[in-house]
Amino acid sequence: DYEQYLKTRGIFASWRMSTLNNKVVTLLGGRFEATDYTRDNRGLNTFETFSNEGFTPTAGLNVYLHPQLTFFTNYSQSYYPVTRTGFDDSGDRIEGGLPNEEGSGTDVGFKSRLFDGRLSFTATYFTIQRKNVPYLVDFPAGTDGASVPSAYRYQTAGLIEGDGFEWDVTVK
């Protein structure tokens, strides 16, 4: 038996600039977000509050190489407030909860529209990095001297990376 409350506030702003007769378009932006979380777990007789905040910038560039061919690149960061109780390697509770999940991503590619838009394709190479992703840990009963069931025990992963290619073709 528990109650939880989540309150999130945020603001996003961006700036876009076109140069060289609109052949180069730059986008810069960012979002600031603040989160307050409260959990009252009457079954475990615990009351926890977490406050998190984060800023996530983004930047992009489009270069129109030809009326039917565009080069693009983008970089962005991500932030996800983690509202879970954390435990260290010895099973002791981490005061203040787990750190926020953070990430970043980059993509580079080309877009094209041919035959009056009846054929379009996108070819993209992307990279993704994430850290502090929470995962469940199964500690032996009583490791930390508390009565917290294993189902509520979380730690965070180190750096997780991925990359790849994405292809998209549309025929109308």
Side-chain angles (χ1 to χ4, degrees):
D1 182 30
Y2 66 91
E3 291 181 4
Q4 55 188 358
Y5 305 95
L6 179 67
K7 180 180 179 181
T8 302
R9 299 161 312 285
I11 186 166
F12 176 80
S14 66
W15 175 71
R16 180 180 165 152
M17 182 178 78
S18 297
T19 58
L20 300 175
N21 291 330
N22 294 325
K23 297 219 184 275
V24 177
V25 178
T26 305
L27 174 71
L28 299 173
R31 176 178 172 82
F32 176 79
E33 186 172 304
T35 303
D36 297 317
Y37 178 79
T38 303
R39 177 177 43 234
D40 184 2
N41 191 330
R42 291 182 285 280
L44 296 176
N45 198 25
T46 60
F47 182 83
E48 298 175 301
T49 61
F50 302 103
S51 293
N52 295 306
E53 60 184 38
F55 177 74
T56 54
T58 186
L61 177 72
N62 285 352
V63 179
Y64 297 92
L65 303 171
H66 182 274
Q68 297 171 329
L69 182 63
T70 304
F71 166 80
F72 66 90
T73 186
N74 181 59
Y75 171 79
S76 61
Q77 291 182 350
S78 63
Y79 151 84
Y80 184 77
V82 175
T83 57
R84 301 195 191 294
T85 303
F87 293 84
D88 63 21
D89 290 335
S90 65
D92 294 326
R93 185 185 302 263
I94 298 172
E95 292 300 320
L98 293 173
N100 297 328
E101 182 180 325
E102 298 174 357
S104 64
T106 304
D107 58 326
V108 177
F110 292 92
K111 292 182 181 184
S112 183
R113 291 175 47 108
L114 304 169
F115 308 111
D116 295 323
R118 292 190 306 268
L119 174 65
S120 62
F121 77 88
T122 304
T124 307
Y125 172 74
F126 65 89
T127 63
I128 299 172
Q129 295 182 334
R130 292 172 61 197
K131 67 178 184 177
N132 299 332
V133 177
Y135 67 94
L136 280 169
V137 177
D138 190 19
F139 287 108
T143 300
D144 63 352
S147 60
V148 179
S150 294
Y152 298 104
R153 297 170 186 244
Y154 288 88
Q155 288 184 335
T156 56
L159 185 63
I160 301 170
E161 298 179 295
D163 66 340
F165 290 95
E166 182 177 346
W167 307 91
D168 179 56
V169 177
T170 303
V171 178
K172 293 181 183 178

